[in-house]
Structures are given as C-alpha cells and as structure tokens.
Amino acid sequence: MPIKFIALKQPGKTVVESLAALYPENPYLRNEYAQARQAQGHIPWVLGLTDSNVLLSGCIGLVKTRHWIDRTLEIPSTNEPADPIFWTELIAFCTNHRISYLELDTYGSRPFPFPDLPHVAYRGRRTEYVLDLGVDLFSALDSKHKQSLKKARAAEVTIETSLDAGRAAEHAGLFAATLDR
C-alpha cells in the first residue's frame, strides 16, 4: 500500500501511545500532554503518515478557535516525516479545516531541515538544552541563586507535583499574590 496521510481528531489513548512509541524520548507526544492541552480548550489531533495502517511518523496537532475567522493549528513538536508528502497533505488539511495560522515548533524533536512552506510569516532559530540531572547542579549556580536556594532549604520549602486542578488554582493564586507586591 502507498504511504497515506492521516488526521485523527481527538485520538484515543491507543493511537497517542503508538505515536509516543515512535519517539520515546519526546514528552510532547504523550496522552497526558494531549489531555492537558485539551483541558485548556485545544482540540487534539494526531497527524501523521501510515503504510498498511502502521504509523510511520507523526505529531500531535492542537486546534484552537478564538472566533469564526481565527483558527490556529499548533504543532508543538514537529518530527521529521517519513515522506515529504506529509507537508503537502498538512497544507491541504489546513485549507480544508479553515486553519488561519499554522505554528510548527520542534520542542523535544530530533533536529531536521524544515522544507520551504508557502506563506511563512516568521521562521526563527532556537536552541534546546538537555541537562544531566545526575550531576551537582548546585555548584553550577551563581551566588544569588545559591543564596536563594539556601534560604528555601532553611525554610524547609518542598516541591510537589500534582495533576489536581485545585492545586493548579492554588499555585496560580500564589503567583498572582506575588504580582500584587
């Protein structure tokens, strides 16, 4: 069978997990990420290429509609497609779904050359760093950051992670309170 472009709106967990299996090091291709962005009002899609119903390459696209004339497709982690047909089909997808803005980013992706796409408004360079958390990061901090960290340790500050929306609201409230100072 020939390579085929797929666009799956609000894909199930199994589809996203098969995409994540292609790029195990990429946190932007996880079901949890798609769900978190959906909770923010985006509609998740899996966009990719298949051959005989086997996913060859792909990404998560997020559609956000602000009003009837402003629809954005954001792809936070664009990966190199298995075939250049992906780009032609992606542009056709945008046309068919009345996408006004296409934002392609490469967070967590392996580097690859982007093709020249039509109507590019901005193309920027960026650098992504991967930190080895197994080393002593404290020694690499400047003196002001070290002082702040020592104060936090003395005050027994802890860092917690949570998926609870109430905790996120609490954090946002604390953040807003610091802006009022």
Side-chain angles (χ1 to χ4, degrees), residues 136-153:
D136 179 21
L137 296 177
F138 185 76
S139 62
L141 295 175
D142 69 32
S143 60
K144 288 185 180 183
H145 287 109
K146 284 182 182 178
Q147 183 180 9
S148 295
L149 189 54
K150 285 179 184 176
K151 284 182 182 179
R153 285 180 176 161

Side-chain angles (χ1 to χ4, degrees), residues 38-100:
Q38 186 172 9
Q40 294 174 334
H42 295 83
I43 299 171
W45 289 74
V46 165
L47 307 166
L49 296 175
T50 61
D51 187 0
S52 301
N53 292 327
V54 174
L55 189 61
L56 302 175
S57 61
C59 53
I60 291 177
L62 303 159
V63 174
K64 178 77 172 189
T65 303
R66 289 180 179 78
H67 52 78
W68 67 275
I69 198 168
D70 182 7
R71 184 174 290 165
T72 299
L73 171 60
E74 174 190 354
I75 301 178
S77 186
T78 309
N79 295 291
E80 184 168 21
D83 190 280
I85 193 173
F86 176 82
W87 301 111
T88 307
E89 294 295 329
L90 180 64
I91 298 302
F93 172 86
C94 290
T95 301
N96 294 338
H97 289 84
R98 297 187 330 258
I99 302 293
S100 311

Side-chain angles (χ1 to χ4, degrees), residues 148-164:
S148 295
L149 189 54
K150 285 179 184 176
K151 284 182 182 179
R153 285 180 176 161
E156 297 181 358
V157 171
T158 60
I159 298 175
E160 297 177 18
T161 60
S162 176
L163 298 176
D164 180 13

